Amino acid sequence: MRLIILGPPGAGKGTQAAKIAEKFGIPAISTGDIFRANIKNETPLGLQVKEVLASGGYVTDEITNAVVRDRLFEDDAEQGFLLDGFPRTAAQVETLDAILAEHGHALDAVLELTVDDEAVVQRLLKRAQIEGREDDTEEVIRERQAIYRRETAPLTDVYSARGLLVQVDGMGPVDDVFTRVSDALEGVARS
């Protein structure tokens, strides 16, 4: 399966992506994880990304597109993948369409986790405390939510018009959410 998972920051995309990847035997490709690894290793990309994230912004399309293109050409993504954190903008949708066309592939579904904004803010503040994420202040979290609503939420209309959007309630215990996600994706796999 070739999938995208959407939802605002803190919706549980990373947690669900790992479970989906395991169930369907595909790699979960998280642009956030790729960027955090580069920050940790203090690569030139990592230093550039760290500055952007500290201000609450998103990494530029140019950088993100290059990272995703390289990753989708790796052998383990040939039979399928789950993208988490890409695409974020309409321009990135076009880039992804072009990358998939190069391979002769198409998306199977776009999964959107729907969540309550205030619950997500509290979830992210708790995660920041536990994981020591200095970039997850309340101000930065709210700015990321605003950017998501402005730039990424409109992608649900694009993918809905293509008949690819599958919305799942992302609130509640992780296993309950995964049951809903799994049921929804099983329906896609059968169709």
Side-chain angles (χ1 to χ4, degrees):
M1 293 186 81
R2 290 173 183 82
L3 306 168
I4 294 172
I5 188 167
L6 293 176
K13 296 182 303 292
T15 301
Q16 294 303 321
K19 291 174 142 322
I20 293 165
E22 183 178 339
K23 177 175 178 141
F24 291 99
I26 55 175
I29 301 170
S30 163
T31 53
D33 287 349
I34 292 169
F35 293 145
R36 278 189 287 280
N38 278 275
I39 291 169
K40 183 178 179 184
N41 295 325
E42 297 184 347
T43 67
L45 171 64
L47 296 174
Q48 193 176 7
V49 169
K50 184 176 183 178
E51 188 177 319
V52 172
L53 293 181
S55 69
Y58 282 139
V59 179
T60 66
D61 283 0
E62 182 182 18
I63 294 170
T64 306
N65 292 345
V67 166
V68 171
R69 177 181 296 281
D70 287 348
R71 182 62 183 89
L72 291 182
F73 279 111
E74 291 181 22
D75 291 343
D76 68 334
E78 178 60 31
Q79 297 304 313
F81 54 79
L82 173 77
L83 284 172
D84 171 8
F86 186 89
R88 287 191 190 275
T89 64
Q92 288 179 351
V93 169
E94 291 176 19
T95 298
L96 179 59
D97 289 346
I99 293 169
L100 291 172
E102 286 176 43
H103 289 276
H105 297 309
L107 289 171
D108 293 298
V110 176
L111 175 69
E112 181 188 23
L113 295 178
T114 60
V115 294
D116 175 75
D117 282 349
E118 286 308 310
V120 167
V121 169
Q122 296 312 309
R123 182 187 292 176
L124 286 176
L125 288 172
K126 184 176 180 181
R127 180 179 79 180
Q129 210 174 22
I130 293 168
E131 296 180 11
R133 292 189 182 195
E134 296 172 20
D135 60 325
D136 279 356
T137 65
E138 184 168 351
E139 182 181 344
V140 167
I141 290 166
R142 290 191 187 281
E143 175 60 17
R144 285 190 190 135
Q145 284 182 325
I147 292 169
Y148 177 82
R149 282 190 299 276
R150 188 171 59 245
E151 296 181 7
T152 307
L155 301 186
T156 58
D157 293 337
V158 172
Y159 287 121
S160 180
R162 294 182 185 184
L164 294 172
L165 188 66
V166 177
Q167 292 180 311
V168 175
D169 178 4
M171 299 303 296
V174 170
D175 289 340
D176 291 354
V177 174
F178 183 64
T179 297
R180 292 191 293 268
V181 165
S182 194
D183 289 348
L185 291 178
E186 288 291 342
V188 169
R190 284 192 297 271
S191 59

